[in-house]
Amino acid sequence: MLASAEAAGADWRLVYGGRTAASMAFAAELRAAHGDRVSLHPQDEHGPLDLDRLLGTPPENGPPADTLVYCCGPGGLLDEVHRRTAHWPAGRAARRALHPGTLRGAARGPGL
């Protein structure tokens, strides 16, 4: 996904949250490849992702005209992102649930 955004010339950033830094797959590779565009937020060091700061507080928040949000993660995170973006224009927020075994046998690596 990041490779596609780069190829399209998009101005993007990745906010990567995880329980611990050690549990965050490809964190070092992502930072090495993309520098400050990648923000790492291990929960044990920084607490949960600050969705108020990242997405605003409904119903007042709204994206700048060119904002797209792609979110993957556990159900609680997806539900909260959906709650905060449900009134955004269609197609501005996409979510994908992660479940144990989701990556089994899948191609893995930064830029996917």
Side-chain angles (χ1 to χ4, degrees), residues 23-110:
S23 72
M24 297 170 70
F26 306 108
E29 293 92 335
L30 287 165
R31 286 299 302 264
H34 303 291
D36 289 341
R37 288 183 157 202
V38 176
S39 299
L40 303 176
H41 293 273
Q43 188 171 355
D44 65 335
E45 296 175 26
H46 303 288
L49 290 173
D50 184 353
L51 296 179
D52 284 342
R53 182 179 59 78
L54 295 169
L55 300 173
T57 305
E60 298 82 23
N61 69 322
D66 60 351
T67 297
L68 301 174
V69 173
Y70 295 93
C71 177
C72 60
L77 174 64
L78 298 178
D79 291 346
E80 189 58 23
V81 169
H82 175 71
R83 184 182 76 79
R84 292 166 182 270
T85 60
H87 65 283
W88 289 16
R92 292 287 178 90
R95 301 172 314 279
R96 173 162 292 185
L98 292 181
H99 303 284
T102 299
L103 295 178
R104 252 185 235 135
R108 301 179 199 179

Side-chain angles (χ1 to χ4, degrees), residues 1-12 37 66:
M1 190 180 312
L2 297 181
S4 295
E6 293 254 332
D11 181 18
W12 63 268
R37 288 183 157 202
D66 60 351

